[in-house]
């Protein structure tokens, strides 16, 4: 969603990060949540060999699906259509929203109830519908909370992860008529349940995301725990599902391994409460279910990633969020700091295709490249390698062969590229290096006590009086 | 050109060399099969379901309806929604007590949605099967037992025959040839609805049922 | 196979000669760690060759978006290790760069790629080499002490050698290694990351220092200089700000620690 105008993407990102770093309460929330989710995931994978084998299988299923993507999308469309589901294609967010609005206007819809859908966040669905005079109401408890607070989700699986129960108690007491302040989580959930049950019953349209689409049977698979997803896809007369074009698999048998990887990696559950597989609208002899089911297939930059042999792996993602749950940077700054719909490592590698590298390049650099994300990724996306590749793209000379993405070269400055050029000169010529390092160690007394960003948090780096190469001479003699 | 053509054309321009071959899903599950017998599968299903606050009662063909009614009365329920024209619905009706009203799902939802949302305590559906590995009940809603039965009432009773418990999801879908034809809606259900969206604190009864009660029906002469 | 595509490697028997690639950080900032590496290896009867023309593995440019610059620096190292001897690197990070990224850097040039592959195959992180090739086994003659070990993320995840530093410390009778909370988490260094995002880096480093100090460890040992400079540098800054005169969490390279503990402090 293009909600922020980035005049200085780097400064924006730093300012947002700093705000969270300075907020002890939020940092505690994130840390607690990360520890919780990491422990839950770990407990689900006691057998390393099983995990590695399943990851390999999951990765191969996703790679296979991408290798055959255009064919699978056509097969999916044909089978869904045969099942009575209407399939729509959208190249970008505005097209997707326009498709949904057209459906809403045709059925004279006033209220849309929403299941959890990050793609709907990606296209700015709620704001668009509100502008068109249609209520778009979130029903996932976490999404409901952030919508009530006028915020966006800060995590793709746990949208309200940045909030404490005290904050939520306060929010409910202030925003929901007739609700008294309570910190009792069960009571808070029952309040949400009561409010939202009405919304399900009154809604004209249910909107949902999709976890997997199955080409051979024309099936939409949704996983969830709360039951709101089933409500949204079952109660209203019209169900609109929206998903990225990459979510398709060919065979129904491809679902069990991916499902297992998804739920275990995401929330540390062997399975979610509900796995909801939808293969069509209500049939004439059926007594409930939506009378219309639509699927909107969204590109929004995914085809740019697809075209590149290295970046295509980005599309293997099954949106489990494990990469952010294990990211030392995400754990410190949370999801909002990223300024994108998808935060964390996966957000840093997918957002450039949606929004352009010119506005998102700071995210590619916002990683220590520690590799925790790649290690836990259930479908083996080489996230750190892709981050490095995006850094190369961000620093590439614009309009050259190296600059292949929208916004390539946006991070390049004359000062930095000159400095790195000089660095390479020194370190690729041992004579120059020896001379430079000799001066550094001889001049160690002159080492500045202020070394920019380094000494803001650490004591200065002081070269040793003798370099290793000097010590080695003494050692040999 | 339509958005469809634009997108497909962009994708078709890229030739992907890697992973052209179909992944060997059958090989993986074959190698990781536990080969458990009926009793072991029952035990694993039970453990997985109980871990997510599911109540399980061992029943037989003869006593399941009386057990259900006893549990229902114990919970102070007033109504149970049952499928229209199902054998198990009829069996339950046959031993009906005054304390409980059995409501058959006879009309399309559009005519009585408010009553379903506000005036029905519980429901009973038959499971098509189950998945031992994850403790998931398999439901294929039918015209006589529609989708909302397992979603809207606060308490959901599920009748499950022990012979229909599969080892894992893959085993279930291959044994039953799901890929040859899917129903409009197929469900795996594991426990009552829940959420941990408030500070990772687990709370049951989010939007769907608050309680899930499984009547595990053993074949005649067998006990748990 | 780890996430960098490395499979479990088989190890050679103890060689007569090895190369040392000592890294630019050790050359300039902690040369004693390099010298102690040499001593550890020589004690095992191994001749250590230190090609003087070596500079840096090229990782700073590689992780900053300057592949051409990284390539030119890497190229300068590629030709230094002519004999088929193992190349021992007292850094999992620099070793990881040479072992996993060099082949990719030179993917477009068959001749250089072959060279990079051959070199990658001979790169051993120090602790890995001491455990699997040398079978390090020496008496601990130091005082009883309590320490913490920080294994760099690249040693852990890129080279897959997170167990060997711990094994070496375990072999020392009087050294008690305390395990800090979130031991697998990054220290926040990340090379140029620390300079580009100082606030985030500081937050991560501060937490790392706290988790190590919480164990009661008197010092932190690591086989990677970058992490050490970050962790002990962060702690020293905190000491400075709080007026503490003695470093509350000094850091020591694994090579120096091992040599000190098993050599009685003799030269």
């Amino acid at each position: 969603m293009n909600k922020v105008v980035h005049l200085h993407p780097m400064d924006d990102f730093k300012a947002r990060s700093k705000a969270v770093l300075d907020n002890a309460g939020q940092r505690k929330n994130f840390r607690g949540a990360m520890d919780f989710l990491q422990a839950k995931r770990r407990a689900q994978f006691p057998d390393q060999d099983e995990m590695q084998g399943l990851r390999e299988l999951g990765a191969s299923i996703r790679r296979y699906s991408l290798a055959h993507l255009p064919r699978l999308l056509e097969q999916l469309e044909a089978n869904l259509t045969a099942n009575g589901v209407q399939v729509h294609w959208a190249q970008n967010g505005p097209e997707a929203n326009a498709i949904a609005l057209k459906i809403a206007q045709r059925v004279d819809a006033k209220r849309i109830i929403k299941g959890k859908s990050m793609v709907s966040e990606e296209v700015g669905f709620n704001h668009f519908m509100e502008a068109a005079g249609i209520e778009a109401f979130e029903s996932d408890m976490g999404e409901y909370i952030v919508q009530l607070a006028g915020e966006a989700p800060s995590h793709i699986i746990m949208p309200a992860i940045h909030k404490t129960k005290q904050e939520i108690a306060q929010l409910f007491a202030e925003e929901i008529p007739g609700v008294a302040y309570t910190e009792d989580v069960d009571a808070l959930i029952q309040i949400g349940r009561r409010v939202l049950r009405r919304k399900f019953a009154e809604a004209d349209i249910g909107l949902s995301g999709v976890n997997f689409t199955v080409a051979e049977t024309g099936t939409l698979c949704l996983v969830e725990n709360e039951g709101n997803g089933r409500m949204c896809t079952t109660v209203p007369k019209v169900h609109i599902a929206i998903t990225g074009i990459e979510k398709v698999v060919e065979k129904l048998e491809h679902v069990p391994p991916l499902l297992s990887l998804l739920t275990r990696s995401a929330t540390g559950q062997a399975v979610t409460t509900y796995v909801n597989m939808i293969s069509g609208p209500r049939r004439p002899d059926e007594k409930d279910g939506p009378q219309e089911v639509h699927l909107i297939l969204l590109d929004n930059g995914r085809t740019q990633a697809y075209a590149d042999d290295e970046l295509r792996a980005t599309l293997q993602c099954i949106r489990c969020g494990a990469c952010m749950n294990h990211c030392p940077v995400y754990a410190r700054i949370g999801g909002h700091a990223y300024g994108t719909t998808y935060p964390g490592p996966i957000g840093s590698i997918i957002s450039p295709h949606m929004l352009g590298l010119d506005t998102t390049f700071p995210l590619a650099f916002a990683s220590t490249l520690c590799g925790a994300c790649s290690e836990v990724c259930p479908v083996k996306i080489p996230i750190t390698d892709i981050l490095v590749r995006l850094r190369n793209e961000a620093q590439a000379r614009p309009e050259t062969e190296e600059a292949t993405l929208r916004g390539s070269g946006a991070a390049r400055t004359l000062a930095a590229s000159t400095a790195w050029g000089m660095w390479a000169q020194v370190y690729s010529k041992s004579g120059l290096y020896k001379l430079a390092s000799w001066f550094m160690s001889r001049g160690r007394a002159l080492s500045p006590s202020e070394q920019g960003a380094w000494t803001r948090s650490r004591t200065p780096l002081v070269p040793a009086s003798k370099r290793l190469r000097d010590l080695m001479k003494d050692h040999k003699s | 050109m339509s958005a469809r053509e634009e997108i497909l054309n962009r994708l078709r321009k890229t030739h992907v060399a890697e992973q052209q071959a179909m992944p060997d899903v059958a090989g993986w599950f074959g190698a990781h099969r536990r080969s458990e017998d009926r009793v072991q599968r029952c035990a694993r299903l039970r453990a997985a379901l109980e871990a997510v606050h599911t109540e399980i009662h061992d029943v037989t063909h003869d006593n399941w309806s009386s057990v259900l009614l006893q549990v229902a009365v114990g919970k102070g329920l007033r109504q149970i929604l049952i499928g229209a024209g199902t054998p198990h619905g009829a069996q339950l009706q046959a031993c009906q007590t005054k304390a409980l009203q059995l409501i058959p799902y006879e009309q399309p939802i559009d005519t009585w949605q408010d009553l379903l949302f506000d005036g029905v305590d519980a429901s009973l559906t038959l499971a098509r099967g189950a998945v031992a590995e994850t403790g998931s009940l398999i439901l294929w809603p039918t015209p006589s037992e529609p989708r909302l039965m397992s979603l809207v009432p606060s308490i959901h009773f599920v009748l499950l025959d022990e012979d229909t418990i599969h080892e894992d999801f893959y085993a279930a879908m291959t044994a039953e040839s799901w890929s040859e034809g899917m129903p409009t809606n197929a469900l795996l259900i594991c426990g009552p609805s829940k959420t941990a969206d408030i500070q990772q604190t687990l709370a049951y009864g989010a939007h769907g049922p608050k309680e899930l009660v499984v009547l595990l029906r053993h074949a005649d002469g067998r006990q748990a | 196979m780890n996430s960098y595509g490395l499979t479990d490697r088989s190890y050679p028997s103890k060689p007569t000669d090895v190369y040392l690639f000592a890294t630019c950080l050790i050359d300039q900032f902690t040369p004693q760690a390099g010298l102690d590496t040499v001593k550890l290896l020589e004690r095992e009867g191994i001749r250590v060759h230190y090609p003087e023309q070596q500079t840096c593995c090229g990782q700073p440019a590689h992780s900053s978006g300057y592949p051409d610059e990284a390539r030119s620096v890497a190229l300068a190292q590629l030709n230094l290790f002519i004999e088929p001897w193992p190349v021992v690197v007292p850094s999992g990070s620099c070793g990881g760069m040479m072992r996993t990224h060099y082949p990719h850097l030179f993917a477009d040039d068959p001749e250089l790629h072959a060279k990079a592959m051959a070199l990658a195959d001979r790169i051993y992180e120090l602790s890995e080499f001491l455990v699997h090739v040398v079978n390090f086994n020496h008496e601990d003659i130091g005082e009883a002490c309590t320490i913490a070990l920080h294994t760099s993320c690249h040693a852990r995840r890129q080279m897959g050698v997170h167990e060997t530093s711990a094994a070496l410390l375990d072999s020392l009778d009087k050294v008690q290694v305390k395990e800090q909370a979130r031991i697998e988490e990054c220290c926040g260094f990340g090379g140029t990351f620390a300079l580009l995002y100082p606030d985030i880096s500081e937050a991560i480093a501060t937490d790392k220092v706290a988790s190590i100090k919480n164990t009661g460890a008197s010092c932190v040992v690591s086989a990677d200089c970058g992490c050490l400079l970050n962790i002990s540098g962060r702690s020293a800054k905190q000491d400075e700000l709080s007026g503490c005169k003695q470093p509350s969490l000094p850091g020591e390279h694994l090579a120096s620690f091992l040599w000190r503990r098993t050599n009685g402090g003799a030269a």
Side-chain angles (χ1 to χ4, degrees):
Chain A
M1 179 174 121
N2 294 295
K3 61 192 167 196
V4 183
V5 179
H6 298 264
L7 293 176
H8 302 284
M10 187 59 95
D11 293 343
D12 280 0
F13 173 67
K14 285 185 175 179
R16 287 191 301 263
S17 315
K18 188 79 168 72
V20 184
L21 291 170
D22 290 342
N23 183 335
Q26 280 219 356
R27 278 184 63 185
K28 199 159 152 262
N29 294 354
F30 283 118
R31 183 75 260 177
M34 298 299 99
D35 288 347
F36 173 82
L37 289 164
Q38 286 178 19
K40 291 262 288 174
R41 176 188 170 276
R42 204 175 303 124
Q44 277 296 332
F45 291 107
D47 178 346
Q48 284 297 306
D49 289 342
E50 190 260 1
M51 176 176 78
Q52 297 306 352
L54 190 58
R55 286 176 76 224
E56 188 51 56
L57 179 64
S60 70
I61 291 170
R62 291 300 301 134
R63 284 195 286 257
Y64 173 84
S65 308
L66 293 174
H68 301 273
L69 187 56
R71 174 173 68 78
L72 297 190
L73 285 170
E74 287 181 290
Q75 189 187 358
L76 174 72
E77 179 185 46
N79 285 325
L80 280 171
T81 306
N83 292 347
V85 176
Q86 300 173 52
V87 179
H88 313 264
W89 303 69
Q91 297 194 72
N92 49 43
E95 283 188 16
N97 287 331
I99 291 164
L101 181 61
K102 208 170 155 194
I103 298 167
Q105 286 169 339
R106 182 172 50 74
V107 301
D108 197 21
K110 301 281 182 295
R111 285 174 291 261
I112 299 177
I113 189 76
K114 289 184 66 202
K116 190 155 171 35
S117 159
M118 289 309 295
V119 174
S120 79
E121 299 282 345
E122 179 187 328
V123 301
F125 184 87
N126 295 6
H127 293 294
F128 178 86
M129 285 299 163
E130 272 157 37
I134 297 171
E135 178 187 82
F137 209 86
E138 296 288 351
S139 67
D140 171 271
M141 288 293 180
E143 294 277 355
Y144 170 62
I145 291 163
V146 296
Q147 189 181 39
L148 208 55
E151 297 172 0
S154 63
H155 188 282
I156 64 170
I157 302 294
M158 308 197 90
I161 205 166
H162 56 291
K163 287 197 166 327
T164 59
K165 63 181 173 189
Q166 289 81 7
E167 288 166 332
I168 294 164
Q170 192 69 38
L171 180 71
F172 276 26
E174 283 169 11
E175 298 292 331
I176 308 173
V179 166
Y181 182 93
T182 173
E183 291 180 11
D184 183 284
V185 171
D186 282 313
L188 289 168
I189 293 300
Q190 289 313 306
I191 293 165
R193 176 186 173 102
R194 208 173 55 235
V195 171
L196 286 157
R197 280 231 152 187
R198 282 293 101 216
K199 294 287 180 184
F200 293 125
E202 290 164 3
D204 305 302
I205 294 178
L207 185 111
S208 78
V210 176
N211 293 97
F212 311 108
T213 56
V214 184
E216 71 169 341
T217 55
T219 300
L220 314 176
C221 303
L222 285 77
V223 305
E224 54 145 348
N225 288 312
E226 295 186 0
N228 68 306
R230 287 188 61 203
M231 287 281 189
C232 293
T233 60
T234 314
V235 179
K237 289 193 172 54
V238 177
H239 168 211
I240 303 175
I242 180 166
T243 191
I245 51 172
E246 79 280 20
K247 288 281 181 74
V248 63
V249 296
E250 179 167 356
K251 302 281 184 190
L252 199 60
E253 68 172 31
H254 291 163
V255 172
L258 293 177
L259 177 66
S260 177
L261 286 164
L262 173 62
T263 62
R264 289 157 87 188
S265 302
T267 48
Q269 292 177 273
V271 73
T272 44
T273 307
Y274 300 112
V275 178
N276 181 8
M277 308 177 87
I278 299 163
S279 304
R282 184 194 302 195
R283 290 191 182 140
D285 60 343
E286 291 182 319
K287 299 190 190 92
D288 61 21
Q291 272 143 3
E292 289 180 25
V293 178
H294 299 263
L295 176 69
I296 302 174
L297 292 165
L298 176 71
D299 177 354
N300 201 27
R302 287 163 174 82
T303 46
Q304 175 178 275
Y306 189 81
D308 186 287
D309 282 340
E310 188 175 18
L311 302 176
R312 191 179 313 117
T314 310
L315 303 177
Q316 286 169 218
C317 179
I318 56 173
R319 301 286 189 269
C320 71
C323 59
M324 57 198 78
N325 296 345
H326 291 76
C327 176
V329 174
Y330 179 92
R332 302 305 182 302
I333 66 173
H336 289 154
Y338 290 81
T340 48
T341 298
Y342 305 94
I346 184 62
S348 300
I349 64 171
I350 190 75
S351 304
H353 302 292
M354 297 167 176
L355 302 167
L357 199 54
D358 44 346
T359 58
T360 55
F361 73 84
L363 308 182
F365 293 88
S367 163
T368 62
L369 302 180
C370 74
C373 49
S374 312
E375 184 179 56
V376 297
C377 176
V379 290
K380 302 184 74 167
I381 302 172
I383 300 175
T384 41
D385 291 345
I386 293 176
L387 286 168
V388 168
R389 165 65 192 285
L390 291 171
R391 292 177 185 191
N392 296 347
E393 288 282 345
Q395 304 282 20
R397 285 180 195 82
E399 316 298 326
T400 60
E401 222 173 282
E402 286 75 40
T404 61
L405 304 180
R406 184 154 69 90
S408 282
R412 190 176 180 86
T413 63
L414 184 61
S417 54
T418 308
W420 279 108
M422 285 166 60
W423 179 88
Q425 282 296 314
V426 171
Y427 281 83
S428 62
K429 300 196 170 47
S430 68
L432 266 181
Y433 168 79
K434 280 186 223 171
L435 192 65
S437 60
W438 185 86
F439 272 111
M440 273 176 71
S441 60
R442 288 309 134 106
R444 63 194 295 267
L446 303 172
S447 294
S449 59
E450 290 298 324
Q451 297 170 354
W454 181 262
T455 45
R456 276 173 49 192
S457 325
R458 303 164 197 83
T459 46
L461 293 173
V462 182
S465 57
K466 285 190 174 182
R467 302 165 299 174
L468 177 63
R469 59 198 65 236
D470 306 319
L471 295 181
M472 284 302 281
K473 277 182 195 142
D474 304 343
H475 179 67
K476 291 272 188 259
S477 56
Chain B
M1 208 169 7
S2 68
R4 179 184 186 279
E5 288 312 304
E6 296 264 10
I7 293 168
L8 286 172
N9 284 347
R10 279 202 287 275
L11 295 175
R12 287 193 197 106
K13 264 196 290 189
T14 305
H15 173 73
V16 182
E18 62 163 16
Q19 191 67 50
Q20 283 288 325
M22 182 74 80
D24 185 12
V25 177
W28 166 265
F29 284 100
H32 289 80
R33 184 128 301 159
R34 292 175 200 242
S35 301
E36 292 176 334
D37 63 17
R38 178 182 52 81
V39 176
Q40 289 168 315
R41 283 200 297 269
C42 274
R44 211 141 59 88
L45 178 84
R46 175 188 298 271
L49 276 168
E50 284 178 344
V52 288
H53 284 213
T54 302
E55 198 176 312
I56 302 178
H57 299 275
D58 292 297
V59 296
T60 64
H61 282 268
D62 294 331
N63 75 358
W64 73 265
S65 45
S66 57
V67 171
L68 187 154
L69 291 172
Q70 205 181 328
V71 172
V73 170
K75 290 179 185 291
L77 301 180
R78 291 155 301 172
Q79 315 89 12
I80 298 183
L81 182 66
I82 57 170
T86 60
H88 47 283
Q91 206 177 335
L92 192 61
Q93 276 171 316
C95 62
Q96 188 176 356
T97 67
K98 275 195 192 128
L100 262 169
Q101 185 193 1
L102 297 181
I103 307 173
Y105 196 146
E106 282 171 331
Q107 297 302 317
I109 186 60
D110 319 78
T111 61
W112 66 293
Q113 181 170 294
D114 287 347
L115 178 66
L116 174 63
F117 270 75
D118 298 319
V120 178
D121 292 340
S123 64
L124 166 71
T125 65
L126 178 71
R128 180 188 176 89
V131 174
E133 182 180 57
T134 56
S136 302
L137 305 168
I138 301 169
L139 267 70
W140 279 24
T142 58
S144 54
E145 282 189 352
R147 313 180 193 200
L148 291 173
M149 289 186 74
S150 60
L151 182 62
V152 178
S154 287
I155 299 179
H156 179 205
F157 291 90
V158 179
L159 186 57
L160 170 69
D161 283 308
E162 62 168 359
D163 290 331
T164 62
I165 303 173
H166 300 271
E167 261 194 56
D168 52 51
F169 186 24
Y170 174 78
M173 68 166 57
T174 47
E176 299 185 354
S177 307
W178 285 26
S179 61
E180 285 168 22
M182 288 288 278
T184 50
N185 192 202
L187 297 162
L188 302 185
I189 297 180
C190 179
S193 68
K194 63 179 184 285
T195 183
D197 272 356
I198 299 181
Q199 218 177 304
Q200 298 91 55
T201 307
L202 188 57
Y204 284 91
H207 296 295
K210 296 176 179 181
E211 290 182 42
L212 179 66
V213 182
V214 173
L215 303 164
L216 182 53
R217 188 160 64 175
H218 301 275
D220 292 339
R222 283 191 202 147
Q223 259 310 335
Chain C
M1 196 162 88
N2 73 5
S3 53
Y4 289 85
L6 294 184
T7 44
D8 291 341
R9 75 196 303 189
S10 55
Y11 291 96
S13 52
K14 193 169 83 178
T16 55
D17 299 80
V18 298
Y19 284 116
L20 172 67
F21 182 79
T23 84
C24 59
L25 279 183
I26 284 184
D27 188 29
Q28 289 172 47
F29 296 101
T30 56
Q32 193 60 42
L35 193 62
D36 292 332
T37 298
V38 173
K39 290 173 184 170
L40 285 169
L41 294 169
E42 285 178 343
R43 180 169 59 182
E44 307 292 341
I46 298 170
R47 280 188 294 272
V48 180
H49 303 264
Y50 174 74
E52 252 235 310
Q53 291 86 352
Q54 62 180 271
T55 59
C56 166
C57 66
Q59 190 187 131
H62 179 259
S63 58
S64 298
Y66 291 90
D68 293 341
E69 288 75 3
R71 211 171 351 255
S72 75
V73 171
L75 185 61
Q77 321 307 316
L78 209 52
N79 296 315
L80 299 179
F81 307 97
I82 298 151
E83 300 296 332
W85 302 325
V87 180
V88 178
V89 187
S91 158
S93 194
C94 311
M97 172 74 190
M98 299 170 93
R99 192 153 144 68
T100 64
H101 291 314
Y102 274 22
H104 294 297
L105 269 181
F106 299 105
D108 292 340
D109 184 322
E111 197 183 322
L112 291 177
H113 183 252
K115 262 189 183 177
M117 290 290 282
L119 178 61
D121 209 37
R122 289 190 282 138
I123 298 286
Y124 296 90
E125 188 267 345
L126 173 65
S127 69
E128 172 190 27
F129 192 80
L130 289 178
V131 169
H132 291 299
V133 182
V134 167
N135 201 10
F136 178 94
N137 184 13
H138 294 278
E139 194 192 344
D140 181 7
I141 51 177
E143 298 284 305
C145 69
T146 302
I147 64 161
L149 169 70
H150 174 75
T151 299
S152 78
C153 297
H154 289 164
R156 181 185 297 283
R157 303 197 181 91
Q158 210 169 10
M159 297 204 74
V161 297
H162 54 287
E163 280 156 7
T164 46
S165 287
L168 290 168
L169 294 176
D170 275 350
S171 77
L172 302 175
D173 289 343
K174 283 175 277 182
V175 175
Q176 194 188 5
V177 183
K178 291 275 194 176
E179 187 167 308
Q180 63 271 30
R182 306 184 190 101
I183 190 165
E184 294 179 2
E185 193 176 72
C186 178
C187 71
F189 175 53
T192 47
F193 172 84
L195 305 178
L196 190 59
Y197 295 113
D199 296 320
I200 306 172
S201 177
E202 177 188 306
I204 305 174
T206 303
D207 290 347
K208 182 57 77 182
V209 168
S211 68
I212 293 174
K213 282 186 178 175
N214 279 341
T215 65
S218 60
C219 84
V220 56
V221 168
S222 176
D224 268 87
C225 269
C227 309
L228 274 179
L229 291 168
N230 180 47
I231 297 170
S232 56
R234 175 69 194 131
S235 176
K237 182 79 174 187
Q238 290 174 320
D239 294 341
E240 200 177 285
L241 295 172
S242 66
C244 174
K245 299 281 184 254
Q246 288 297 314
S248 58
L249 188 65
E252 189 169 16
H253 192 279
L254 178 75
S256 296
F257 186 78
L258 288 177
W259 182 249
R260 190 162 61 74
R261 298 292 305 189
T262 58
N263 191 48

